[in-house]
Amino acid sequence: MAIINEHKAIIQPLNPIWYQPCVPQMEMLRLDLIHPVISGNKWFKLKYNLETVLEKGYKNILTFGGAYSNHLVATAAVAKEYGIGSIGIIRGNYAKNNPTATLDECRALGMRLLFVGWEEYARKTDEAWLNDLVAEFDTPYVIPEGGANDAGRRGAEDIAKLIPETYSHICVSAGTGTTLIGLRNALPAAQKILGFVPMKEGSYIKEEIEPHLRVKENWQLFDEWHIGGFGKWNNKLLAFMNNFYRINNIPLDIIYTSKMMYGLDELLLGRYFPDYARILCIHTGGLQGNSSVQDFLSY
Ligand SMILES: *Cc1c(COP(=O)(O)O)cnc(C)c1O
């Protein structure tokens, strides 16, 4: 599709002082470079949804997310680009009077925001509630939170086309696990996939991932590097991000990719990897979310 050139996603070597002598090779697939807003894995999860929207002539896209959701902004930007309306159902009433930069950006892109309490939001996959919501707007096409549907998983499979077979380990951050599912289903079974979950006790997503896997083996989740929980951070994480940027010239985001690389750093030091490991880390984007910590970042 015209607005995104997926081949802008280059593979960038990391600075060897970062990973040697633990492993011989470590590189990063820069999905963050494909678009400033419709960035990273979000484009891949949206693209086949968008195809249906355009084919069937839907006038609106309705989707779900929290006040910092990269998925919401990406959806708003895609919709605007194609002249389609967008509606965001936002988790929690707090953000209504305390809008985040993410929600301001969604609004600026033309997204209509509907704030609902946490309890109501928890019904986000409940058919009766969805029918009520859909009836409020002009026949919107509904995309679940995080783009976690069949079209999203199929789109995530396309990321595998950018990954050569020479890597032994592929590292990715996992929120809903949709991206990890697409990768596991499309990559050779011999390539091990490591998923880093930024939520506290986040390994529960294993149950949501498993039913969708065609290839069941050779993947693992890590949930110990949540740094206090989803969206939480501390000075150590900020220092890590600034240092990573200084050494590799790659900006990481505060919610997902920074915690993945932080965890990977500890895995390297703990000699988790076999000494033949050739590692590819996927930069899934999300840099718009850094506006809340901009003052603490050197980039
Ligand atoms: C949304 C997001 C993820 C999580 O992707 P899932 O497919 O939901 O697992 C990872 N990284 C970034 C930067 C994201 O914005």
Side-chain angles (χ1 to χ4, degrees):
M1 262 165 277
I3 58 165
I4 300 279
N5 179 0
E6 291 173 12
H7 292 284
K8 281 190 185 166
I10 56 159
I11 290 180
Q12 181 174 338
L14 299 185
N15 188 329
I17 64 166
W18 206 72
Y19 58 81
Q20 281 181 355
C22 305
V23 293
Q25 187 182 15
M26 196 155 175
E27 312 199 312
M28 186 169 255
L29 173 61
R30 299 283 311 272
L31 295 184
D32 58 308
L33 296 177
I34 61 174
H35 190 280
V37 181
I38 312 168
S39 101
N41 59 347
K42 297 300 181 278
W43 162 250
F44 289 87
K45 295 195 284 183
L46 283 170
K47 64 184 199 172
Y48 294 121
N49 283 297
L50 176 66
E51 207 171 78
T52 304
V53 168
L54 297 175
E55 266 172 28
K56 302 259 166 81
Y58 282 94
K59 293 196 189 70
N60 287 294
I61 299 175
L62 182 148
T63 193
F64 302 81
Y68 296 93
S69 166
N70 296 322
H71 165 70
L72 279 182
V73 194
T75 304
V78 163
K80 181 171 191 225
E81 200 71 48
Y82 284 89
I84 302 158
S86 62
I87 301 138
I89 311 298
I90 315 300
R91 180 182 60 222
N93 283 304
Y94 177 78
K96 194 179 200 164
N97 300 318
N98 304 278
T100 57
T102 302
L103 293 180
D104 285 341
E105 174 88 16
C106 286
R107 271 207 191 91
L109 290 164
M111 184 175 252
R112 290 168 67 184
L113 305 182
L114 187 68
F115 295 84
V116 302
W118 283 67
E119 235 166 80
E120 194 170 12
Y121 188 89
R123 296 173 64 207
K124 62 187 185 285
T125 56
D126 176 347
E127 210 156 312
W129 192 51
L130 283 176
N131 288 338
D132 287 351
L133 275 175
V134 164
E136 281 186 47
F137 302 96
D138 185 9
T139 52
Y141 175 86
V142 177
I143 301 178
E145 181 184 66
N149 60 7
D150 278 334
R153 290 183 281 272
R154 197 155 50 84
E157 290 189 25
D158 286 354
I159 298 171
K161 293 179 189 157
L162 304 170
I163 301 177
E165 281 190 29
T166 47
Y167 299 100
S168 58
H169 294 73
I170 311 297
C171 302
V172 69
S173 180
T176 61
T178 307
T179 307
L180 189 151
I181 292 166
L183 288 169
R184 182 63 295 168
N185 284 337
L187 286 170
Q191 286 182 315
K192 182 162 188 178
I193 301 179
L194 310 184
F196 295 80
V197 192
M199 296 91 79
K200 198 181 270 180
E201 286 161 27
S203 285
Y204 69 86
I205 65 168
K206 191 161 197 262
E207 284 156 42
E208 289 159 26
I209 293 171
E210 266 168 344
H212 300 292
L213 293 180
R214 298 193 298 272
V215 177
K216 306 273 182 201
E217 71 268 26
N218 219 11
W219 65 285
Q220 186 176 357
L221 288 179
F222 297 93
D223 66 1
E224 46 270 71
W225 295 291
H226 55 74
I227 326 277
F230 188 70
K232 301 279 193 323
W233 48 268
N234 60 20
N235 289 337
K236 233 174 128 183
L237 185 67
L238 292 170
F240 177 85
M241 292 165 79
N242 285 330
N243 191 44
F244 190 86
Y245 184 76
R246 190 173 56 79
I247 294 175
N248 297 296
N249 205 25
I250 299 175
L252 299 173
D253 83 290
I254 187 82
I255 312 257
Y256 292 98
T257 53
S258 59
K259 292 181 183 182
M260 168 175 79
M261 296 314 292
Y262 188 98
L264 255 174
D265 195 32
E266 295 206 345
L267 288 181
L268 281 172
L269 293 172
R271 293 297 171 128
Y272 166 88
F273 293 99
D275 55 15
Y276 60 80
R278 296 185 179 278
I279 304 172
L280 184 73
C281 316
I282 303 182
H283 195 316
T284 37
L287 294 169
Q288 67 86 23
N290 280 354
S291 55
S292 61
V293 290
Q294 204 52 66
D295 291 350
F296 309 112
L297 295 176
S298 59
Y299 54 87

